[in-house]
Amino acid sequence: MTGGGGEIRAPYRAFAEWLGVQHMETLRQKAAEAEVLFRRSGITFAVYGDEEAAERLIPFDILPRIISSAEWSKLEQGIEQRVRALNAFLYDIYHRQEILKAGKVPVDLVIQNSAFLPEMIGVDPPRSIYSHIIGIDIVRTNENDFAVLEDNTRTPSGVSYMIENRETMMHLFPDLFSRNRVRPVENYPDALLKTLESVSPRNLDAEPNIALLTPGIFNSAYFEHSFLADQMGIDLVESCDLAVIDGFLRMKTTEGLKRVDVLYRRVDDLFLDPLVFDPTSLIGVPGIFDVFRSGRLAIVNAPGSGIADDKAIYSYIPEIIKFYTGKEPILANVETYNCRDPEGLKYVLSHLPDLVVKEVHGSGGYGMLIGPRSTTDEIEAFRAKIIADPNNYIAQPTLSLSTCPTFINAGIGPRHLDLRPFVLVGDQVRLMPGGLTRVALKKGSLVVNSSQGGGTKDTWVLQE
Amino acid sequence: MLSRTANDLYWLSRYVERAENMARLLEVGYRIVLLPRQDEGFHEEWRSTLESAGCLDGYTQRHGELNSRNVIHYMLFDVGNPSSIASCLASARRSARAQRTALTREMWQSLNGSWLEFSAIKPASVTSNSLPELLDWVRSRSALYRGAMLNTILRNDTFYFSQVGTFIERADSSARILDVKYYHLLPSSDLVGSGKDNYQWVALLRSVSAHRSYRWVFKDEYRPLKIAEFMILNRQMPRSLRSCYDEITLALRDLGIFYGARNDCHATAESTRDLLLESLIESIFQSGLHEFIQDFIARNNKLGNEISSAYHFSD
């Protein structure tokens, strides 16, 4: 909220004025009310292996994160540039592989990567788009700059919280919205539906049938799956509702079988088709990959798009952007050390207490080392893991997360946070002004993942 | 609509209705157990309650001897009993979660709230004094869900499948209550109307919340023949077999129009409704009330199966 000199930053002024005259007790009541609202509507998050709290609430912080109009428009341009480049990269590596031939990205890093699907080579998805729904994790690096911490190009989640958080804030603090001109995010489902429609492989005069594939009610993001299907008015299907018959994907309805044209799947690549990938998968549909390959079905996001958000590829993204757009990246990466590179490895091993080290394929805050918060023993144990398999690790400085005032029981204090805007790629690029702000609730903690006890905030992008 | 969605909506309604019926049966059973008795009727009443609920075999396997504490626990909390209130609420909530997209927010919140509150109850804390209050609560939660459904749901296939589920379950329950009371409490048909069995019949009316409305309709004392007529053939009584079939045929007719197709289930439902429309209670008694009800339960089950196959519930 405050800049380097300690003064309140411009976008926060109206809000800070309001906050200054609030009673702590009122805020505490509002926070409690928010929890009741979330609990009652069942906005829960399942945590694997956490039997007791099989359905937990993600803590919601009632103080918003605010971004000015000027900041946002720069982010917007940077994000659009980035997602176009990511899709161009995906098309290229599954076709002519120019970027590998040009030596801009190491060949083995792509070809030997488990997120690279050889089955996708030569396959042409509708409109040549692989990753339609992308979540880009962004952090503020200084007063005027943002950098990308991570890309999520396979099945990013959290967008339902962006919408519900706003809904809750408007319910709790209607007066705040009359003081601040906050751009709306509620039309996300609409934009998503338009994006899905725009990649239908069927000729345009036929209204496409669109369905959302969920692994089922035990999936951690099930709430989001049902929320989105409901908001778009499309069927929420499980694998048992689908079958490949006569070369098309069909769903079983009360009136018999119905063709599916676009499948927004929230099932990982490897579980998608037991005939092609993991034969033991029960949440996939046998034969679906063939239907996709033959151009009779759009799968969103396309299989194999995970290679673009691989943490080892991440450090090459600036190169990738230059290669496909011919321009400098508008949004920088967070400084990253690649342990596969000897220089990087050397640096990482000698600076472990200052770094965040991540597994290349890990997600959800698992399998990482946060140097400043770890004991000497933990650091040494991690050092051994890195030395044993350097290709599997990258590292980033810990100072890259900014903080924002957050309501905690004892009062208001600064907490680290990041931001995940959601961008849609179809016949056009659509970006909601906002996103999911994730906040570390423990003092000093840098881990914002919901599976690790992080919370969320409403994210305001102000109108000019 | 997805077949799985239709199937879940249908069963969701059935489970909510079943939870309510379990509460009604328990309440009546308990009320009778409280009455001063001389003979073994105490156990017999629990036996008939369990039998009406379709839980007797399961109970016997689990507990053997009949006693109030075990019966109440088995019907309220035992998740090993698929018809216990705990199981019904859990199944309803599971279907609701799977079909969040088909339910309105109010429907989901009422079900989710019921499940959360019920799950928080510690079985040991339910004493005989607090039982009536708990059973009231179950009925009111069921009413809340139905109210939310009727007030907010779109009048399309989501509504029709929900209605069909509710009334097939209710018809089954009303028929079972009638059959068990009749068959087990009055083994000898010449006892009918003798007056001894009077309070059993009143209890039966109570279980369907109809002992007052009976008076309004008949302006007469409680007579078995009239009570049976009221429960089977009366079109005004919302838990009578006739009422249930009026609703079922209406919902199925709307479904047929919605999809532009009729199936076997339509003919079956209509013929059962016609039977209820045309029958006279005297002739039902003459040819055997038990036989009539057994035939009805079989027809009702057949209808359920035909609906399931017409709309591809289990393909």
Side-chain angles (χ1 to χ4, degrees), chain A residues 229-246:
Chain A
D230 189 35
Q231 298 273 316
M232 289 189 283
I234 64 173
D235 285 301
L236 178 65
V237 299
E238 293 179 20
S239 64
C240 62
D241 300 312
L242 299 173
V244 171
I245 295 168
D246 303 331

Side-chain angles (χ1 to χ4, degrees), chain A residues 61 406 415-418 437-441 447-448 454-457:
Chain A
D61 181 55
T406 297
R415 290 293 181 269
H416 288 290
L417 42 69
D418 75 356
T437 290
R438 299 183 299 174
V439 55
L441 293 176
V447 185
V448 296
T456 69
K457 281 169 171 292

Side-chain angles (χ1 to χ4, degrees), chain B residues 149-278:
Chain B
M149 197 268 278
L150 291 171
N151 283 343
T152 58
I153 203 173
L154 283 178
R155 261 47 178 181
N156 58 16
D157 39 359
T158 46
F159 176 64
Y160 308 139
F161 283 118
S162 302
Q163 286 287 87
V164 171
T166 300
F167 290 103
I168 286 192
E169 181 69 27
R170 187 178 295 179
D172 182 70
S173 160
S174 289
R176 282 164 176 279
I177 292 172
L178 256 174
D179 195 36
V180 173
K181 297 289 172 195
Y182 175 78
Y183 193 59
H184 289 275
L185 299 172
L186 303 166
S188 151
S189 63
D190 54 33
L191 273 179
V192 175
S194 67
K196 273 188 181 176
D197 54 309
N198 205 15
Y199 79 88
Q200 297 284 11
W201 285 101
V202 176
L204 186 155
L205 279 179
R206 264 185 202 283
S207 72
V208 291
S209 295
H211 66 293
R212 303 288 286 270
S213 53
Y214 172 92
R215 296 275 200 195
W216 283 97
V217 171
F218 292 106
K219 309 210 184 308
D220 192 4
E221 63 183 300
Y222 298 118
R223 294 171 189 279
L225 197 78
K226 291 275 189 226
I227 291 172
E229 182 183 354
F230 194 49
M231 295 240 346
I232 298 172
L233 303 176
N234 192 284
R235 59 186 294 195
Q236 298 174 15
M237 213 292 271
R239 308 189 76 83
S240 73
L241 306 188
R242 163 73 193 276
S243 272
C244 292
Y245 265 77
D246 283 352
E247 298 286 355
I248 291 169
T249 44
L250 187 65
L252 282 178
R253 193 201 65 189
D254 288 341
L255 203 53
I257 294 169
F258 187 79
Y259 288 136
R262 274 174 63 92
N263 302 85
D264 292 348
C265 59
H266 290 89
T268 301
E270 282 158 15
S271 81
T272 303
R273 180 177 171 272
D274 289 346
L275 180 78
L276 294 165
L277 193 94
E278 290 153 8

Side-chain angles (χ1 to χ4, degrees), chain A residues 24 72 78 85 90 104 199 202 268 307 311 337 376 425:
Chain A
M24 222 41 191
W72 184 255
L90 284 163
K104 299 288 183 188
V199 295
R202 236 203 287 205
D268 289 345
I307 182 71
K311 291 189 181 71
Y337 308 95
T376 319
V425 189

